[in-house]
Amino acid sequence: MSAPLLSIEGLRVGFRNASGGLVEAVRGIDFSVEPGEAVGVVGESGSGKSLSMLAVMRLLGSPARTTGGRVMFDGRDLLSIDEARMRAIRGRDIAMVFQDPQSSLNPALTIGRQITDVVRAHRRVSGTEARRIAAETLERVGIRDAGKRLDAYPHEFSGGMRQRALIAMAIACRPRLLIADEPTTALDVTVQAQIVDLIAELRRDLGIAVIFISHNLQLVAEIVDRVVVMYGGKVVEDGPVEAIEREPRHPYTGLLQACVPSLTGPVGPLVTIEGSPPRLGRMPQGCPFSPRCPRAESRCETQMPPLVVDFDQRFACWRPL
Ligand SMILES: Nc1ncnc2c1ncn2[C@@H]1O[C@H](COP(=O)(O)OP(=O)(O)OP(=O)(O)O)[C@@H](O)[C@H]1O
Ligand SMILES: [Mg+2]
């Protein structure tokens, strides 16, 4: 088997709270991505999905910072290389599409300018060539009349088209890894499904490895090879998508799977999980899911279960399904 493209090892992200203590939102996560593989990272709001990916890209804003772990890419630890090197990798080898498309596009610059800027930051090409690449990339993400659309400003695009433009910026330099943080509130479900399809298509046609972040297990399951389930800043389960769907072992995964949001029917899950995720700084001592878990027993509250490996599936639970 080939070496993984990206390997996240023991990654931790934390903040200093008002009294100077460290509060960790990502508490030692491990997973890897093979070349060309699509991995879904799923979990409810606040589970640490975005922070972990921002840490991988070294784009955490203050006060968040990486407090431990390694991120191996191409044999180098991204967390220890210098900023100039990281800047060369970001956008060229690893690109990220952010959760909030509004704030990721500059409203004052045309779409074409924003794509050509990315191209010219990483490749020595003429202005004309950069514009040709930009038009071709915009076309690739499904925007018709791409040549003309280059001169449009972001406000002239619909939400779905802005999302496509952001994906165009991300893939303009043909990265080896695309990290897509699913826009949750900005887009309606139909557009969201189209974006998921687009990412699946790009991955198939261009061979780009993908990390797809989502709340929605069913949505990502359609396009990924493997699923990583996060809860309370930890990976609670991961494995091949078929195994996760057919035989989830962690009760949280089981409940996520029972949440069946419909693409055509009313918006919102038919089944919701009782209670709410733990708050930062108030993490249970044991399993973070124990306060909401229908299967929890007393040791679940006091002892963090280790990750158990069962063939190619891993789960951290004292009372697995
Ligand atoms: N700048 C910040 N300062 C303090 N806390 C933060 C900051 N950014 C994120 N957090 C907290 O860290 C935790 C993890 O946040 P993160 O954004 O990674 O969650 P997420 O899994 O991406 O959630 P969502 O699905 O809502 O995007 C949350 O409790 C969040 O409130
Ligand atoms: Mg997020």
Side-chain angles (χ1 to χ4, degrees):
M1 207 157 127
S2 59
L5 178 65
L6 179 84
S7 171
I8 299 174
E9 302 168 5
L11 182 66
R12 316 181 80 92
V13 178
F15 310 93
R16 291 254 162 245
N17 64 16
S19 46
L22 181 70
V23 179
E24 283 192 317
V26 177
R27 304 185 298 147
I29 62 163
D30 298 85
F31 71 90
S32 57
V33 182
E34 304 292 321
E37 188 182 35
V39 174
V41 176
V42 301
E44 281 167 294
S45 204
S47 53
K49 305 179 299 295
S50 297
L51 285 180
S52 11
M53 292 308 123
L54 289 169
V56 166
M57 296 293 283
R58 291 222 337 227
L59 289 174
L60 286 172
S62 175
R65 63 188 179 83
T66 303
T67 50
R70 299 200 303 173
V71 176
M72 301 304 293
F73 183 79
D74 255 354
R76 285 179 297 191
D77 179 5
L78 297 184
L79 302 183
S80 61
I81 61 179
D82 62 37
E83 182 51 33
R85 258 214 178 138
M86 189 63 212
R87 222 178 296 126
I89 290 175
R90 216 186 276 132
R92 189 193 61 195
D93 297 307
I94 310 180
M96 182 158 173
V97 180
F98 295 93
Q99 195 163 9
D100 178 7
Q102 309 311 5
S103 65
S104 319
L105 285 168
N106 185 336
L109 299 177
T110 63
I111 298 288
R113 169 70 192 278
Q114 297 186 61
I115 304 175
T116 52
D117 279 354
V118 178
V119 173
R120 300 192 78 183
H122 295 288
R123 292 171 64 178
R124 283 169 188 273
V125 291
S126 67
T128 321
E129 176 63 2
R131 198 176 154 88
R132 191 194 61 74
I133 295 170
E136 184 188 282
T137 313
L138 210 52
E139 189 95 50
R140 186 90 263 289
V141 299
I143 291 186
R144 263 167 301 189
D145 270 337
K148 285 184 203 138
R149 299 295 192 144
L150 286 179
D151 296 317
Y153 286 87
H155 72 89
E156 298 173 76
F157 273 24
S158 68
M161 283 168 71
R162 279 198 288 267
Q163 193 64 31
R164 286 174 193 269
L166 283 171
I167 295 172
M169 279 167 72
I171 64 158
C173 296
R174 297 289 169 96
R176 283 182 288 162
L177 174 65
L178 174 68
I179 303 176
D181 204 346
E182 173 193 87
T184 42
T185 46
L187 299 178
D188 68 54
V189 268
T190 321
V191 179
Q192 246 182 56
Q194 288 167 2
I195 298 295
V196 171
D197 288 344
L198 169 63
I199 289 174
E201 184 188 310
L202 293 172
R203 179 220 168 189
R204 198 178 54 234
D205 297 351
L206 309 177
I208 301 175
V210 173
I211 296 178
F212 196 90
I213 304 176
S214 176
H215 293 140
N216 185 334
L217 176 58
Q218 284 74 17
L219 191 76
V220 293
E222 285 173 29
I223 67 156
V224 300
D225 305 306
R226 230 145 38 77
V227 176
V228 175
V229 181
M230 285 188 68
Y231 191 88
K234 294 255 187 198
V235 170
V236 296
E237 177 157 14
D238 76 3
V241 65
E242 307 78 35
I244 296 281
E245 287 214 293
R246 187 173 13 93
E247 201 182 350
R249 304 300 305 277
H250 198 286
Y252 178 62
T253 316
L255 287 165
L256 268 187
Q257 208 208 20
C259 296
V260 194
S262 158
L263 288 180
T264 48
V267 178
L270 299 180
V271 177
T272 51
I273 304 173
E274 291 282 316
S276 46
R279 280 196 286 155
L280 280 189
R282 299 248 181 103
M283 277 303 160
Q285 203 187 340
C287 170
F289 190 56
S290 59
R292 297 167 77 187
C293 183
R295 295 173 66 83
E297 56 187 28
S298 60
R299 84 171 148 173
C300 303
E301 288 157 30
T302 53
Q303 283 177 59
M304 181 66 205
L307 265 181
V308 175
V309 181
D310 182 8
F311 292 101
D312 39 12
Q313 203 164 349
R314 302 184 306 167
F315 51 91
C317 180
W318 293 121
R319 294 200 61 214
L321 299 170

